[in-house]
């Protein structure tokens, strides 16, 4: 019963994060194009010039949430140490890596265009650092779950 309660809480948190993400990415898009008619204002101009990167990040973040949802489903089935969870953690790490690549491409484009500013650059570097930590954690969890699955399989064969 405790496992089911944890599953419900994790699913609720996942849905809440997805809704917050939708509000953030949708709100940023609406702010950039609809709510701010002054096209010389720096914030909407920045959002408009980076909207493709913003939505690539959004899609990858929602993919991470999808893989996390799959992990939560396996936990709900009392199958925490499964190949599916190891693969889902690995896929989450791959999504994190794609986000880092996207940010590096964004920095390169800023350099080529000569539009690099200290504040967006520092935020982007901070996000790269955060996703490096995320990738390390996901890769470690993938390996841990894989090892636990292997031990579980060995124990089932022994019995």
């Amino acid at each position: 019963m405790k496992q089911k309660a944890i599953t419900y809480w994790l699913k609720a948190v996942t849905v809440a994060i997805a809704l917050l993400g939708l509000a953030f990415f949708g709100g940023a898009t609406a702010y950039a194009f609809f709510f701010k008619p002054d096209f010389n204002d720096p914030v909407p101009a920045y959002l408009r010039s980076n909207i493709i990167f913003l939505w690539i990040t959004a899609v990858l973040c929602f993919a991470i949430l999808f893989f996390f949802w799959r992990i939560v489903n396996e936990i709900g089935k009392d199958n925490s140490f499964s190949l599916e969870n190891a693969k889902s953690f690995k896929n989450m790490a791959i999504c994190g890596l794609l986000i880092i690549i996207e940010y590096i491409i964004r920095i390169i484009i800023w350099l080529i265009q000569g539009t690099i500013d200290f504040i967006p650059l520092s935020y982007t570097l901070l996000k790269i650092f955060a996703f490096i930590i995320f990738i390390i954690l996901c890769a470690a969890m993938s390996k841990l779950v894989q090892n636990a699955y292997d031990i579980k399989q060995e124990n089932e064969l022994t019995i």
Side-chain angles (χ1 to χ4, degrees):
M1 186 63 173
K2 201 174 200 181
Q3 194 100 353
K4 289 287 184 191
I6 291 170
T7 302
Y8 291 135
W9 278 106
L10 288 173
K11 284 184 177 183
V13 168
T14 306
V15 168
I17 291 171
L19 291 173
L20 284 171
L22 199 57
F24 173 77
F25 292 115
T29 303
Y31 182 73
F33 291 102
F34 303 114
F35 296 144
K36 208 65 171 159
D38 180 7
F39 280 82
N40 294 319
D41 193 358
V43 174
Y46 173 81
L47 288 172
R48 280 191 299 278
S49 66
N50 289 287
I51 200 72
I52 296 197
F53 289 114
L54 183 79
W55 278 99
I56 290 171
T57 301
V59 168
L60 291 170
C61 286
F62 283 114
I64 289 169
L65 286 175
F66 169 76
F67 291 119
F68 184 72
W69 186 272
R70 290 179 62 180
I71 291 168
V72 172
N73 282 336
E74 289 299 315
I75 291 170
K77 296 177 192 172
D78 200 22
N79 193 23
S80 299
F81 303 120
S82 64
L83 287 178
E84 292 82 9
N85 280 355
K87 289 177 187 174
S88 289
F89 276 118
K90 185 177 179 182
N91 288 334
M92 289 168 65
I94 291 169
C95 288
L97 179 63
L98 291 174
I99 290 173
I100 288 175
I101 291 169
E102 172 205 351
Y103 289 154
I104 290 170
I105 291 170
R106 184 184 301 190
I107 291 170
I108 291 169
I109 289 173
W110 287 341
L111 286 170
I112 292 170
Q113 291 176 339
T115 58
I116 198 158
D117 288 325
F118 176 73
I119 292 175
L121 177 63
S122 358
Y123 282 132
T124 303
L125 291 174
L126 182 64
K127 290 185 280 186
I128 287 172
F129 179 71
F131 274 101
I132 288 171
I133 293 170
F134 175 78
I135 290 168
I136 291 168
L137 291 173
C138 287
M141 287 300 296
S142 177
K143 189 67 176 163
L144 179 72
V145 170
Q146 176 71 48
N147 289 344
Y149 172 79
D150 292 341
I151 291 169
K152 183 175 128 184
Q153 292 302 103
E154 287 175 17
N155 287 342
E156 288 177 3
L157 290 175
T158 307
I159 297 172

